[in-house]
Amino acid sequence: MDPSDESSGNIRVVCRFRPLNEKEKLIEESVCVTFDPDNRTVAIKSEGEPQRFSYDYVFNPSTPQAQIYQIGARPIIDAIMQGFNGTVFAYGQTSSGKTFTMTGVLGDKNLMGIIPRMVGDVFSKILNSDSHIEFSVKVGYCEIYMEKIKDLLEPSKNNLKIHEDKIRGVFIEDLTERYVSSEEEVFELMNIGTSNREVGYTHMNAGSSRSHSIFCVTLSQTNSLDFSTKTGKLYLVDLAGSEKVGKTGAEGKRLEEAKNINKSLTALGQVINALTDGKSSHVPYRDSKLTRVLQDSLGGNSKTALIITCSPSAYNEAETVSTLRFGIRAKSIKNKAKVNKEYTVAELKLMLAKAKEDIHMRDKKIEMLEQKLGKPFVYEEADTKCDSKEESYTKSDSKEDFKEDTKEESEVEISKVSVLDDIVIELEEARTRLTNEVEKNMKLRAIIAENQKEIEELRGDYNFLISRTNEVRDKNTINEELLKEKDEQIEILSAEIQDLKNEMRNMCDTKFDLEQSFCEIEALHSKSEFNDQSPFLGDTTPSKSALKEQLEEEMSKNENLLMKINEFENLLEAKSEVELDKEKLNGDKQELIKELQKKSEKIVKLECELDESKQNYRNLESTWKKEFNYLKDISVSLGKNLELVSASYNQISKEKAELVIEKKSLERKMTKIAKRAKIAEEELKKIKELQSLCKQETSKDKIKVKTVEIAAKNLLDPKYLHQKPVLKTSLNAPMMNYNIKKTITGGQGVARITGGPGVARMTGGGGPGITRRSFATLQMLDAIKKADKSKNDSSTEIDPNDLSSSSSSGKEKCIVF
Ligand SMILES: Nc1ncnc2c1ncn2[C@@H]1O[C@H](COP(=O)(O)OP(=O)(O)OP(=O)(O)O)[C@@H](O)[C@H]1O
């Protein structure tokens, strides 16, 4: 991994003091703090020595919101853009200005807090980014109230759970996250969330936050060129303020809230202690929801800034000191943040393709260099400048020296090329390995995709079975309830039937009695009609009217009975109906029982299948995990290989550049040497020509000397003395081995021979008359001989007196050879 993808460092802690509020001014106007001019230290005045606390920055009460953002939180945004996680959280006593710092006044340019400013910066950075980077921004908003996490964008979700996995770290499950495309949309969501927050009145703060709020911004970036993705998660946390219930006057609900707030803040303090005391092996993140949510922000994968907020009032001195101490402890927490980057297969493929292309290019270059080094030298007129080494070659340097040097240099170059060859072979091997690994990777991915499909199908089957089982169970329960109801009804009806039967029996008895009585009465009545006057009868039997009354009574009873009988008959009918129903129900029940049995069997079967599916799923999952780990290993080794490839590439590039420079200088040397060799060859040719010329001249000279001697003799011969002198001629002849030019000029007694290397010049005068001429000629021959001897002299003068007598006519007399 690129080292810039990781960063470890301490939490950044800044401290902010707000101005005195009205209440503090009323209670006690004195201020208990002084600020050092270095903007890093604050001192609390106390009776003894003032207590001093130093942070990354200390803001005095007059610091504007914009500066707090710039110094306190802005660096975190840069980290988020790079794909790190980030957290900014505010801690402090109630009413110390946490919410003012984090949120401030939305929509007010001067008073808005860190969250809206950060959001604004995120969007402006997105707008100014490269066009091939695609961004997506999501926001979520929740609060921890009385140890429950409530979704502030969907308040019905009021007990969200915290989870953790390797990819996402610690996260709040099911938290509503909305995609947003402008800061206005974010502000809208913030307003919605804030309106759902638990806020209440206390003596210290009319709008006191009774919960810890967490505003999450997730920024994902996809590079459309290499398909890599980066995700930075930003947590902006406004903690509830610690409070002394005596001061805040919390009672009832507020008291419960205060207890909860203080408890979770104590848990936060304990986590910080465990992280910083250097002895604790266990960090109690799980002691509260707050610490669990902030787990990554405190000692984990996040760049974190803590803003501690304080009151400057002497009235709150104890709370301020406690907050300052908290900040000091938090300062030594070390986090290890890493860029949340994902290498996609496409990205890996692209990297591989690039590496292949690089290797190919390098191959070509190396081939070219090899060709050039392998070819016989072609002398090019490439460069006309001479370097010092080249100039040290003089005419006396032999071609052999030059060849020797060139051979040595060539050997060095060849050894370099062979090293390069080795590297190229290694790279080729790495490339093959990489290709194989990528192929393997692709195959594995295909297998995993298939497995996942299968798992999805199994999951679908499983869910279907579960829903079917639940359906059957529900039906069963309903049927059972129905049966129970019917049984109860049957029981009631049976009891009623029993009662009716008893009543009917009683009624039958009464009816029988009554009928008997009626018969008796009828008999008596006829008897009374017969013995109407009998006093005996009148005394012992009831009177007719009495009997009539009794009869009427009995008749009405009878009617009632008849009615009851009717009722009873109806009831019997009803009973038979109920019995029919009961039978039917029993039938239904039997059917239901049968169905139930069938369903139970089916459930058992389905449960078996489910177990099997679960087992399969578990197997697949473990295979998948293994494969995933294997893939991860491969991806790590791929990363390493790619690093190796790029390192080798860099090395080769460097060496190639050096090689090119050396090659150029070699070519220049070659050109110079070639030129010099050409010159040397020309010189040699000339010397040889001269040698042959000299040989020719020497033989000619001998002939000439002889001719001169003959001529001289002839001149002295008396038979030539009357001959006219030659008007003018010149003698051009090399003397001995030198290229000597001799000129004899007739005139007024001047004769000069100019000697020196290669040249002898004689000028002489002659006059009429043989003697003089002969004398002059003899003088001249003598002079020539002298000049030949003194070849190193620059000139030999002949005394003009010696020649004056021979210069009479002013006309030249020469001997022609
Ligand atoms: N730096 C400041 N300048 C001006 N006013 C401030 C400043 N800080 C805070 N205030 C004011 O003080 C009051 C309390 O601030 P705030 O609500 O932000 O405190 P808090 O720490 O969030 O309190 P709690 O923990 O009770 O929620 C508010 O009216 C706020 O406007």
Side-chain angles (χ1 to χ4, degrees), residues 16-19 21 61 63 65 92-101 202 205 207-210 238-243 309:
R16 181 184 202 182
F17 279 83
R18 63 155 167 74
N21 62 28
T63 314
Q65 294 278 66
Q93 177 195 5
T94 181
S95 187
S96 56
K98 295 179 295 296
T99 309
F100 183 78
T101 302
T202 68
N205 188 356
S208 175
S209 312
R210 310 309 290 160
D238 178 8
L239 295 174
S242 55
E243 63 186 69
T309 54

PDB file of all heavy atoms in Angstrom, residues 16-19 21 61 63 65 92-101 202 205 207-210 238-243 309, ligand 1:
ATOM      1  N   ARG A  16     -11.978  26.036  23.258  1.00  0.00           N
ATOM      2  CA  ARG A  16     -12.668  27.301  22.979  1.00  0.00           C
ATOM      3  C   ARG A  16     -13.364  27.823  24.243  1.00  0.00           C
ATOM      4  O   ARG A  16     -14.081  27.070  24.916  1.00  0.00           O
ATOM      5  CB  ARG A  16     -13.735  27.078  21.904  1.00  0.00           C
ATOM      6  CG  ARG A  16     -14.461  28.350  21.560  1.00  0.00           C
ATOM      7  CD  ARG A  16     -15.575  28.144  20.579  1.00  0.00           C
ATOM      8  NE  ARG A  16     -15.863  29.407  19.920  1.00  0.00           N
ATOM      9  CZ  ARG A  16     -16.806  29.595  19.032  1.00  0.00           C
ATOM     10  NH1 ARG A  16     -17.592  28.609  18.685  1.00  0.00           N
ATOM     11  NH2 ARG A  16     -16.990  30.775  18.488  1.00  0.00           N
ATOM     12  N   PHE A  17     -13.157  29.087  24.498  1.00  0.00           N
ATOM     13  CA  PHE A  17     -13.869  29.749  25.601  1.00  0.00           C
ATOM     14  C   PHE A  17     -14.921  30.669  25.010  1.00  0.00           C
ATOM     15  O   PHE A  17     -14.649  31.401  24.053  1.00  0.00           O
ATOM     16  CB  PHE A  17     -12.889  30.559  26.458  1.00  0.00           C
ATOM     17  CG  PHE A  17     -12.142  29.710  27.436  1.00  0.00           C
ATOM     18  CD1 PHE A  17     -11.012  29.006  27.047  1.00  0.00           C
ATOM     19  CD2 PHE A  17     -12.579  29.590  28.745  1.00  0.00           C
ATOM     20  CE1 PHE A  17     -10.328  28.199  27.933  1.00  0.00           C
ATOM     21  CE2 PHE A  17     -11.898  28.784  29.652  1.00  0.00           C
ATOM     22  CZ  PHE A  17     -10.772  28.096  29.244  1.00  0.00           C
ATOM     23  N   ARG A  18     -16.133  30.596  25.552  1.00  0.00           N
ATOM     24  CA  ARG A  18     -17.183  31.496  25.070  1.00  0.00           C
ATOM     25  C   ARG A  18     -17.193  32.753  25.946  1.00  0.00           C
ATOM     26  O   ARG A  18     -16.592  32.774  27.027  1.00  0.00           O
ATOM     27  CB  ARG A  18     -18.553  30.809  25.101  1.00  0.00           C
ATOM     28  CG  ARG A  18     -19.037  30.420  26.473  1.00  0.00           C
ATOM     29  CD  ARG A  18     -20.549  30.329  26.535  1.00  0.00           C
ATOM     30  NE  ARG A  18     -21.008  29.679  27.753  1.00  0.00           N
ATOM     31  CZ  ARG A  18     -21.002  30.218  28.946  1.00  0.00           C
ATOM     32  NH1 ARG A  18     -20.512  31.450  29.130  1.00  0.00           N
ATOM     33  NH2 ARG A  18     -21.454  29.557  29.996  1.00  0.00           N
ATOM     34  N   PRO A  19     -17.883  33.801  25.520  1.00  0.00           N
ATOM     35  CA  PRO A  19     -17.960  35.005  26.365  1.00  0.00           C
ATOM     36  C   PRO A  19     -18.844  34.714  27.590  1.00  0.00           C
ATOM     37  O   PRO A  19     -19.600  33.747  27.585  1.00  0.00           O
ATOM     38  CB  PRO A  19     -18.641  36.038  25.464  1.00  0.00           C
ATOM     39  CG  PRO A  19     -18.661  35.452  24.093  1.00  0.00           C
ATOM     40  CD  PRO A  19     -18.541  33.990  24.227  1.00  0.00           C
ATOM     41  N   ASN A  21     -21.965  34.747  29.866  1.00  0.00           N
ATOM     42  CA  ASN A  21     -23.377  34.958  29.512  1.00  0.00           C
ATOM     43  C   ASN A  21     -24.058  35.847  30.562  1.00  0.00           C
ATOM     44  O   ASN A  21     -23.463  36.174  31.599  1.00  0.00           O
ATOM     45  CB  ASN A  21     -24.107  33.625  29.291  1.00  0.00           C
ATOM     46  CG  ASN A  21     -24.137  32.765  30.537  1.00  0.00           C
ATOM     47  OD1 ASN A  21     -24.105  33.294  31.655  1.00  0.00           O
ATOM     48  ND2 ASN A  21     -24.190  31.457  30.354  1.00  0.00           N
ATOM     49  N   PRO A  61     -12.535  34.167  23.982  1.00  0.00           N
ATOM     50  CA  PRO A  61     -13.980  34.358  23.755  1.00  0.00           C
ATOM     51  C   PRO A  61     -14.331  35.180  22.521  1.00  0.00           C
ATOM     52  O   PRO A  61     -15.455  35.088  22.026  1.00  0.00           O
ATOM     53  CB  PRO A  61     -14.447  35.071  25.026  1.00  0.00           C
ATOM     54  CG  PRO A  61     -13.465  34.663  26.057  1.00  0.00           C
ATOM     55  CD  PRO A  61     -12.155  34.525  25.354  1.00  0.00           C
ATOM     56  N   THR A  63     -13.033  34.885  19.562  1.00  0.00           N
ATOM     57  CA  THR A  63     -12.698  34.232  18.275  1.00  0.00           C
ATOM     58  C   THR A  63     -13.972  33.977  17.456  1.00  0.00           C
ATOM     59  O   THR A  63     -14.939  33.414  17.969  1.00  0.00           O
ATOM     60  CB  THR A  63     -11.990  32.886  18.523  1.00  0.00           C
ATOM     61  OG1 THR A  63     -10.997  33.085  19.503  1.00  0.00           O
ATOM     62  CG2 THR A  63     -11.374  32.357  17.240  1.00  0.00           C
ATOM     63  N   GLN A  65     -16.500  32.354  14.541  1.00  0.00           N
ATOM     64  CA  GLN A  65     -16.808  30.971  14.141  1.00  0.00           C
ATOM     65  C   GLN A  65     -15.906  30.509  12.993  1.00  0.00           C
ATOM     66  O   GLN A  65     -15.459  29.376  12.972  1.00  0.00           O
ATOM     67  CB  GLN A  65     -18.276  30.880  13.662  1.00  0.00           C
ATOM     68  CG  GLN A  65     -19.314  31.126  14.727  1.00  0.00           C
ATOM     69  CD  GLN A  65     -19.570  29.877  15.572  1.00  0.00           C
ATOM     70  OE1 GLN A  65     -18.690  29.432  16.295  1.00  0.00           O
ATOM     71  NE2 GLN A  65     -20.774  29.362  15.522  1.00  0.00           N
ATOM     72  N   GLY A  92     -17.853  19.438  26.616  1.00  0.00           N
ATOM     73  CA  GLY A  92     -17.769  20.527  27.574  1.00  0.00           C
ATOM     74  C   GLY A  92     -18.979  20.551  28.507  1.00  0.00           C
ATOM     75  O   GLY A  92     -19.970  19.842  28.291  1.00  0.00           O
ATOM     76  N   GLN A  93     -18.871  21.387  29.489  1.00  0.00           N
ATOM     77  CA  GLN A  93     -19.941  21.561  30.472  1.00  0.00           C
ATOM     78  C   GLN A  93     -21.216  22.026  29.763  1.00  0.00           C
ATOM     79  O   GLN A  93     -21.136  22.591  28.668  1.00  0.00           O
ATOM     80  CB  GLN A  93     -19.460  22.638  31.449  1.00  0.00           C
ATOM     81  CG  GLN A  93     -20.434  23.019  32.506  1.00  0.00           C
ATOM     82  CD  GLN A  93     -20.024  24.338  33.179  1.00  0.00           C
ATOM     83  OE1 GLN A  93     -19.053  24.987  32.760  1.00  0.00           O
ATOM     84  NE2 GLN A  93     -20.758  24.721  34.187  1.00  0.00           N
ATOM     85  N   THR A  94     -22.338  21.796  30.368  1.00  0.00           N
ATOM     86  CA  THR A  94     -23.585  22.271  29.773  1.00  0.00           C
ATOM     87  C   THR A  94     -23.508  23.800  29.605  1.00  0.00           C
ATOM     88  O   THR A  94     -22.920  24.503  30.432  1.00  0.00           O
ATOM     89  CB  THR A  94     -24.813  21.846  30.621  1.00  0.00           C
ATOM     90  OG1 THR A  94     -25.979  22.323  29.972  1.00  0.00           O
ATOM     91  CG2 THR A  94     -24.784  22.421  32.032  1.00  0.00           C
ATOM     92  N   SER A  95     -24.040  24.271  28.505  1.00  0.00           N
ATOM     93  CA  SER A  95     -24.091  25.698  28.197  1.00  0.00           C
ATOM     94  C   SER A  95     -22.729  26.332  27.905  1.00  0.00           C
ATOM     95  O   SER A  95     -22.583  27.550  27.941  1.00  0.00           O
ATOM     96  CB  SER A  95     -24.767  26.459  29.355  1.00  0.00           C
ATOM     97  OG  SER A  95     -24.951  27.777  28.994  1.00  0.00           O
ATOM     98  N   SER A  96     -21.735  25.470  27.611  1.00  0.00           N
ATOM     99  CA  SER A  96     -20.406  26.038  27.343  1.00  0.00           C
ATOM    100  C   SER A  96     -20.224  26.399  25.873  1.00  0.00           C
ATOM    101  O   SER A  96     -19.218  26.983  25.497  1.00  0.00           O
ATOM    102  CB  SER A  96     -19.325  25.056  27.794  1.00  0.00           C
ATOM    103  OG  SER A  96     -19.533  23.817  27.152  1.00  0.00           O
ATOM    104  N   GLY A  97     -21.183  26.032  25.026  1.00  0.00           N
ATOM    105  CA  GLY A  97     -21.108  26.450  23.620  1.00  0.00           C
ATOM    106  C   GLY A  97     -20.828  25.331  22.626  1.00  0.00           C
ATOM    107  O   GLY A  97     -20.351  25.580  21.518  1.00  0.00           O
ATOM    108  N   LYS A  98     -21.149  24.098  22.981  1.00  0.00           N
ATOM    109  CA  LYS A  98     -20.893  22.965  22.059  1.00  0.00           C
ATOM    110  C   LYS A  98     -21.778  23.086  20.819  1.00  0.00           C
ATOM    111  O   LYS A  98     -21.289  23.022  19.690  1.00  0.00           O
ATOM    112  CB  LYS A  98     -21.159  21.622  22.769  1.00  0.00           C
ATOM    113  CG  LYS A  98     -20.221  21.335  23.917  1.00  0.00           C
ATOM    114  CD  LYS A  98     -20.518  20.040  24.597  1.00  0.00           C
ATOM    115  CE  LYS A  98     -21.850  19.993  25.298  1.00  0.00           C
ATOM    116  NZ  LYS A  98     -22.007  20.916  26.417  1.00  0.00           N
ATOM    117  N   THR A  99     -23.082  23.242  21.061  1.00  0.00           N
ATOM    118  CA  THR A  99     -24.000  23.310  19.914  1.00  0.00           C
ATOM    119  C   THR A  99     -23.712  24.566  19.088  1.00  0.00           C
ATOM    120  O   THR A  99     -23.752  24.529  17.863  1.00  0.00           O
ATOM    121  CB  THR A  99     -25.462  23.305  20.418  1.00  0.00           C
ATOM    122  OG1 THR A  99     -25.615  22.207  21.307  1.00  0.00           O
ATOM    123  CG2 THR A  99     -26.449  23.164  19.279  1.00  0.00           C
ATOM    124  N   PHE A 100     -23.382  25.653  19.765  1.00  0.00           N
ATOM    125  CA  PHE A 100     -23.040  26.887  19.056  1.00  0.00           C
ATOM    126  C   PHE A 100     -21.815  26.650  18.158  1.00  0.00           C
ATOM    127  O   PHE A 100     -21.770  27.101  17.026  1.00  0.00           O
ATOM    128  CB  PHE A 100     -22.763  28.001  20.085  1.00  0.00           C
ATOM    129  CG  PHE A 100     -22.476  29.332  19.457  1.00  0.00           C
ATOM    130  CD1 PHE A 100     -23.500  30.129  18.966  1.00  0.00           C
ATOM    131  CD2 PHE A 100     -21.165  29.791  19.341  1.00  0.00           C
ATOM    132  CE1 PHE A 100     -23.227  31.357  18.375  1.00  0.00           C
ATOM    133  CE2 PHE A 100     -20.886  31.014  18.756  1.00  0.00           C
ATOM    134  CZ  PHE A 100     -21.923  31.808  18.272  1.00  0.00           C
ATOM    135  N   THR A 101     -20.850  25.893  18.696  1.00  0.00           N
ATOM    136  CA  THR A 101     -19.633  25.622  17.910  1.00  0.00           C
ATOM    137  C   THR A 101     -19.923  24.658  16.766  1.00  0.00           C
ATOM    138  O   THR A 101     -19.482  24.877  15.645  1.00  0.00           O
ATOM    139  CB  THR A 101     -18.538  25.035  18.839  1.00  0.00           C
ATOM    140  OG1 THR A 101     -18.293  25.976  19.873  1.00  0.00           O
ATOM    141  CG2 THR A 101     -17.257  24.758  18.083  1.00  0.00           C
ATOM    142  N   THR A 202     -33.076  23.991  31.189  1.00  0.00           N
ATOM    143  CA  THR A 202     -32.480  23.807  32.524  1.00  0.00           C
ATOM    144  C   THR A 202     -32.099  25.199  33.033  1.00  0.00           C
ATOM    145  O   THR A 202     -32.113  26.165  32.258  1.00  0.00           O
ATOM    146  CB  THR A 202     -31.195  22.933  32.481  1.00  0.00           C
ATOM    147  OG1 THR A 202     -30.179  23.659  31.813  1.00  0.00           O
ATOM    148  CG2 THR A 202     -31.425  21.601  31.818  1.00  0.00           C
ATOM    149  N   ASN A 205     -29.188  26.359  30.842  1.00  0.00           N
ATOM    150  CA  ASN A 205     -29.335  26.555  29.401  1.00  0.00           C
ATOM    151  C   ASN A 205     -30.790  26.316  29.006  1.00  0.00           C
ATOM    152  O   ASN A 205     -31.317  25.223  29.202  1.00  0.00           O
ATOM    153  CB  ASN A 205     -28.409  25.560  28.661  1.00  0.00           C
ATOM    154  CG  ASN A 205     -28.353  25.816  27.170  1.00  0.00           C
ATOM    155  OD1 ASN A 205     -29.054  26.691  26.652  1.00  0.00           O
ATOM    156  ND2 ASN A 205     -27.522  25.051  26.477  1.00  0.00           N
ATOM    157  N   GLY A 207     -32.024  26.048  26.131  1.00  0.00           N
ATOM    158  CA  GLY A 207     -32.165  25.045  25.050  1.00  0.00           C
ATOM    159  C   GLY A 207     -31.091  23.997  25.189  1.00  0.00           C
ATOM    160  O   GLY A 207     -30.276  23.804  24.277  1.00  0.00           O
ATOM    161  N   SER A 208     -31.075  23.324  26.343  1.00  0.00           N
ATOM    162  CA  SER A 208     -29.991  22.372  26.604  1.00  0.00           C
ATOM    163  C   SER A 208     -30.208  21.058  25.832  1.00  0.00           C
ATOM    164  O   SER A 208     -31.299  20.507  25.829  1.00  0.00           O
ATOM    165  CB  SER A 208     -29.938  22.101  28.099  1.00  0.00           C
ATOM    166  OG  SER A 208     -28.989  21.112  28.354  1.00  0.00           O
ATOM    167  N   SER A 209     -29.140  20.589  25.168  1.00  0.00           N
ATOM    168  CA  SER A 209     -29.247  19.307  24.463  1.00  0.00           C
ATOM    169  C   SER A 209     -29.273  18.208  25.505  1.00  0.00           C
ATOM    170  O   SER A 209     -28.361  18.122  26.329  1.00  0.00           O
ATOM    171  CB  SER A 209     -28.033  19.107  23.551  1.00  0.00           C
ATOM    172  OG  SER A 209     -27.813  20.255  22.795  1.00  0.00           O
ATOM    173  N   ARG A 210     -30.273  17.376  25.449  1.00  0.00           N
ATOM    174  CA  ARG A 210     -30.392  16.305  26.430  1.00  0.00           C
ATOM    175  C   ARG A 210     -29.893  14.977  25.870  1.00  0.00           C
ATOM    176  O   ARG A 210     -30.135  13.916  26.423  1.00  0.00           O
ATOM    177  CB  ARG A 210     -31.850  16.146  26.912  1.00  0.00           C
ATOM    178  CG  ARG A 210     -32.512  17.409  27.342  1.00  0.00           C
ATOM    179  CD  ARG A 210     -31.689  18.211  28.347  1.00  0.00           C
ATOM    180  NE  ARG A 210     -31.582  17.628  29.675  1.00  0.00           N
ATOM    181  CZ  ARG A 210     -30.646  17.934  30.559  1.00  0.00           C
ATOM    182  NH1 ARG A 210     -29.707  18.823  30.238  1.00  0.00           N
ATOM    183  NH2 ARG A 210     -30.623  17.372  31.745  1.00  0.00           N
ATOM    184  N   ASP A 238     -22.023  16.294  18.594  1.00  0.00           N
ATOM    185  CA  ASP A 238     -22.286  17.343  19.580  1.00  0.00           C
ATOM    186  C   ASP A 238     -22.726  16.617  20.852  1.00  0.00           C
ATOM    187  O   ASP A 238     -23.851  16.118  20.933  1.00  0.00           O
ATOM    188  CB  ASP A 238     -23.401  18.259  19.034  1.00  0.00           C
ATOM    189  CG  ASP A 238     -23.777  19.345  20.015  1.00  0.00           C
ATOM    190  OD1 ASP A 238     -23.083  19.493  21.044  1.00  0.00           O
ATOM    191  OD2 ASP A 238     -24.766  20.052  19.758  1.00  0.00           O
ATOM    192  N   LEU A 239     -21.801  16.520  21.796  1.00  0.00           N
ATOM    193  CA  LEU A 239     -22.122  15.759  23.006  1.00  0.00           C
ATOM    194  C   LEU A 239     -23.068  16.558  23.901  1.00  0.00           C
ATOM    195  O   LEU A 239     -23.066  17.785  23.868  1.00  0.00           O
ATOM    196  CB  LEU A 239     -20.846  15.446  23.781  1.00  0.00           C
ATOM    197  CG  LEU A 239     -19.838  14.538  23.100  1.00  0.00           C
ATOM    198  CD1 LEU A 239     -18.570  14.452  23.924  1.00  0.00           C
ATOM    199  CD2 LEU A 239     -20.421  13.146  22.909  1.00  0.00           C
ATOM    200  N   ALA A 240     -23.834  15.826  24.690  1.00  0.00           N
ATOM    201  CA  ALA A 240     -24.641  16.511  25.706  1.00  0.00           C
ATOM    202  C   ALA A 240     -23.657  17.007  26.767  1.00  0.00           C
ATOM    203  O   ALA A 240     -22.595  16.419  26.966  1.00  0.00           O
ATOM    204  CB  ALA A 240     -25.635  15.538  26.303  1.00  0.00           C
ATOM    205  N   GLY A 241     -24.020  18.093  27.445  1.00  0.00           N
ATOM    206  CA  GLY A 241     -23.063  18.679  28.385  1.00  0.00           C
ATOM    207  C   GLY A 241     -23.092  18.011  29.739  1.00  0.00           C
ATOM    208  O   GLY A 241     -24.153  17.608  30.230  1.00  0.00           O
ATOM    209  N   SER A 242     -21.891  17.897  30.320  1.00  0.00           N
ATOM    210  CA  SER A 242     -21.859  17.373  31.693  1.00  0.00           C
ATOM    211  C   SER A 242     -22.487  18.429  32.600  1.00  0.00           C
ATOM    212  O   SER A 242     -22.366  19.625  32.343  1.00  0.00           O
ATOM    213  CB  SER A 242     -20.412  17.117  32.097  1.00  0.00           C
ATOM    214  OG  SER A 242     -19.658  18.296  31.923  1.00  0.00           O
ATOM    215  N   GLU A 243     -23.176  17.993  33.607  1.00  0.00           N
ATOM    216  CA  GLU A 243     -23.827  19.000  34.454  1.00  0.00           C
ATOM    217  C   GLU A 243     -23.883  18.584  35.915  1.00  0.00           C
ATOM    218  O   GLU A 243     -23.926  17.398  36.246  1.00  0.00           O
ATOM    219  CB  GLU A 243     -25.238  19.283  33.940  1.00  0.00           C
ATOM    220  CG  GLU A 243     -26.187  18.108  33.970  1.00  0.00           C
ATOM    221  CD  GLU A 243     -27.525  18.428  33.306  1.00  0.00           C
ATOM    222  OE1 GLU A 243     -27.535  18.593  32.075  1.00  0.00           O
ATOM    223  OE2 GLU A 243     -28.531  18.509  34.026  1.00  0.00           O
ATOM    224  N   THR A 309     -15.094  22.887  24.972  1.00  0.00           N
ATOM    225  CA  THR A 309     -15.698  24.214  25.143  1.00  0.00           C
ATOM    226  C   THR A 309     -15.822  24.522  26.637  1.00  0.00           C
ATOM    227  O   THR A 309     -16.184  23.649  27.423  1.00  0.00           O
ATOM    228  CB  THR A 309     -17.080  24.273  24.476  1.00  0.00           C
ATOM    229  OG1 THR A 309     -17.863  23.207  24.991  1.00  0.00           O
ATOM    230  CG2 THR A 309     -16.999  24.145  22.980  1.00  0.00           C
TER     231      THR A 309
HETATM  232  N1  LIG B   1     -18.792  31.617  21.495  1.00  0.00           N
HETATM  233  C1  LIG B   1     -20.027  32.062  21.743  1.00  0.00           C
HETATM  234  N2  LIG B   1     -20.377  33.304  21.420  1.00  0.00           N
HETATM  235  C2  LIG B   1     -21.616  33.735  21.659  1.00  0.00           C
HETATM  236  N3  LIG B   1     -22.598  32.997  22.224  1.00  0.00           N
HETATM  237  C3  LIG B   1     -22.316  31.754  22.578  1.00  0.00           C
HETATM  238  C4  LIG B   1     -21.030  31.203  22.345  1.00  0.00           C
HETATM  239  N4  LIG B   1     -21.042  29.957  22.789  1.00  0.00           N
HETATM  240  C5  LIG B   1     -22.272  29.722  23.258  1.00  0.00           C
HETATM  241  N5  LIG B   1     -23.039  30.795  23.151  1.00  0.00           N
HETATM  242  C6  LIG B   1     -24.449  30.904  23.582  1.00  0.00           C
HETATM  243  O1  LIG B   1     -24.555  30.240  24.835  1.00  0.00           O
HETATM  244  C7  LIG B   1     -25.758  29.520  24.900  1.00  0.00           C
HETATM  245  C8  LIG B   1     -25.476  28.047  25.216  1.00  0.00           C
HETATM  246  O2  LIG B   1     -24.740  27.507  24.186  1.00  0.00           O
HETATM  247  P1  LIG B   1     -24.955  26.046  23.627  1.00  0.00           P
HETATM  248  O3  LIG B   1     -26.386  25.688  23.601  1.00  0.00           O
HETATM  249  O4  LIG B   1     -24.199  25.935  22.409  1.00  0.00           O
HETATM  250  O5  LIG B   1     -24.276  25.227  24.804  1.00  0.00           O
HETATM  251  P2  LIG B   1     -24.097  23.667  24.908  1.00  0.00           P
HETATM  252  O6  LIG B   1     -22.709  23.433  25.388  1.00  0.00           O
HETATM  253  O7  LIG B   1     -24.465  23.015  23.642  1.00  0.00           O
HETATM  254  O8  LIG B   1     -25.100  23.314  26.033  1.00  0.00           O
HETATM  255  P3  LIG B   1     -25.831  21.921  26.378  1.00  0.00           P
HETATM  256  O9  LIG B   1     -24.775  20.964  26.696  1.00  0.00           O
HETATM  257  O10 LIG B   1     -26.663  22.230  27.538  1.00  0.00           O
HETATM  258  O11 LIG B   1     -26.586  21.561  25.181  1.00  0.00           O
HETATM  259  C9  LIG B   1     -26.457  29.690  23.567  1.00  0.00           C
HETATM  260  O12 LIG B   1     -27.422  30.673  23.691  1.00  0.00           O
HETATM  261  C10 LIG B   1     -25.373  30.150  22.640  1.00  0.00           C
HETATM  262  O13 LIG B   1     -25.855  30.994  21.626  1.00  0.00           O
END
